Amino acid sequence: GAVVSQHPSRVICKSGTSVKIECRSLDFQATTMFWYRQFPKKSLMLMATSNEGSKATYEQGVEKDKFLINHASLTLSTLTVTSAHPEDSSFYICSAIPQSSYEQYFGPGTRLTVT
Amino acid sequence: DAKTTQPPSMDCAEGRAANLPCNHSTISGNEYVYWYRQIHSQGPQYIIHGLKNNETNEMASLIITEDRKSSTLILPHATLRDTAVYYCIVRGATSGTYKYIFGTGTRLKVLA
């Protein structure tokens, strides 16, 4: 149980385009999901907290207009990287908290490469 | 900033116990200690968590000191597949404090 998926697993896009990453909780409902990014050989950095039906809460230094988060249902949150640049290339990981639980379950990650 | 500090790397011989320390000296009374690990290019995997008492599950044991300022994750019989980065995280117990702040973790290498 408590499986989280991400789609796509890898994506390559051209500079200036936008790319959407989906995070789904497959066997539970999640009112709260989180988005992280991770650079090579570095730790995970929390980008934002995504709450179903309300606006996401962004961490300091994360541009909300660049990283659009939508949490339209209890099983799906999306992260859209707008006007992507090569420096946005990173490993993006989501996590979800089941209702009546506190543990975060992580997705497998999405490798974004901007050329 | 992360509330935990861990050694950057450790080696362990296959079949031996791996003891990974974590310092969380500023932990509050209602905060939990969580351990996750991340194998290369994958999402973090939950291992174990605890509040005050020592905990054991099929993967590992968690020893928390009496003053709760530090803990040790024990992998009793390390295998090559346990090679990963291990993260110790302190998590709040109230709504709004569930978020994880990852530290640098410990890169464990299990040697054949």
Side-chain angles (χ1 to χ4, degrees):
Chain A
V3 177
V4 177
S5 70
Q6 285 184 238
H7 178 79
S9 57
R10 290 176 177 270
V11 58
I12 300 173
C13 71
K14 292 189 175 181
S15 188
T17 63
S18 295
V19 60
K20 181 186 288 188
I21 302 169
E22 293 185 348
C23 176
R24 292 183 185 272
S25 55
L26 298 185
D27 51 1
F28 65 95
Q29 294 185 325
T31 52
T32 302
M33 292 184 172
F34 300 88
W35 286 96
Y36 299 82
R37 67 186 299 182
Q38 185 176 33
F39 292 108
K41 298 190 181 300
K42 298 295 185 182
S43 185
L44 282 76
M45 184 190 79
L46 179 65
M47 299 175 67
T49 303
S50 171
N51 295 298
E52 188 267 338
S54 64
K55 290 184 178 180
T57 303
Y58 291 82
E59 295 299 303
Q60 191 172 9
V62 178
E63 299 176 61
K64 62 180 181 181
D65 294 330
K66 177 154 186 73
F67 298 100
L68 300 179
I69 292 172
N70 184 278
H71 193 156
S73 77
L74 289 172
T75 59
L76 173 65
S77 176
T78 59
L79 169 68
T80 301
V81 183
T82 62
S83 187
H85 291 284
E87 56 265 32
D88 297 324
S89 298
S90 189
F91 193 50
Y92 291 87
I93 304 171
C94 73
S95 70
I97 298 180
Q99 293 176 319
S100 72
S101 176
Y102 304 131
E103 284 84 59
Q104 291 188 32
Y105 294 89
F106 287 84
T110 296
R111 175 83 51 198
L112 170 64
T113 303
V114 184
T115 61
Chain B
D1 291 343
K3 294 185 176 182
T4 61
T5 54
Q6 300 175 250
S9 64
M10 292 180 64
D11 290 342
C12 176
E14 188 178 20
R16 305 297 293 268
N19 298 293
L20 292 91
C22 178
N23 181 288
H24 33 80
S25 58
T26 62
I27 193 170
S28 299
N30 61 353
E31 290 181 318
Y32 290 77
V33 179
Y34 277 74
W35 283 83
Y36 284 77
R37 71 181 182 185
Q38 185 179 28
I39 296 171
H40 182 62
S41 294
Q42 297 182 26
Q45 175 192 20
Y46 167 81
I47 301 173
I48 199 167
H49 75 280
L51 181 63
K52 296 180 182 178
N53 299 322
N54 299 336
E55 303 288 343
T56 295
N57 63 20
E58 64 278 5
M59 288 184 69
S61 294
L62 173 60
I63 308 299
I64 302 174
T65 58
E66 193 168 342
D67 63 7
R68 303 210 322 124
K69 294 187 176 186
S70 65
S71 61
T72 301
L73 178 74
I74 301 172
L75 307 179
H77 306 287
T79 70
L80 298 178
R81 288 179 296 179
D82 292 323
T83 293
V85 178
Y86 287 76
Y87 294 101
C88 167
I89 299 165
V90 167
R91 194 220 82 202
T94 58
S95 177
T97 63
Y98 297 156
K99 64 182 183 182
Y100 292 170
I101 304 300
F102 282 79
T104 55
T106 296
R107 190 172 297 273
L108 175 69
K109 182 184 288 186
V110 180
L111 306 172

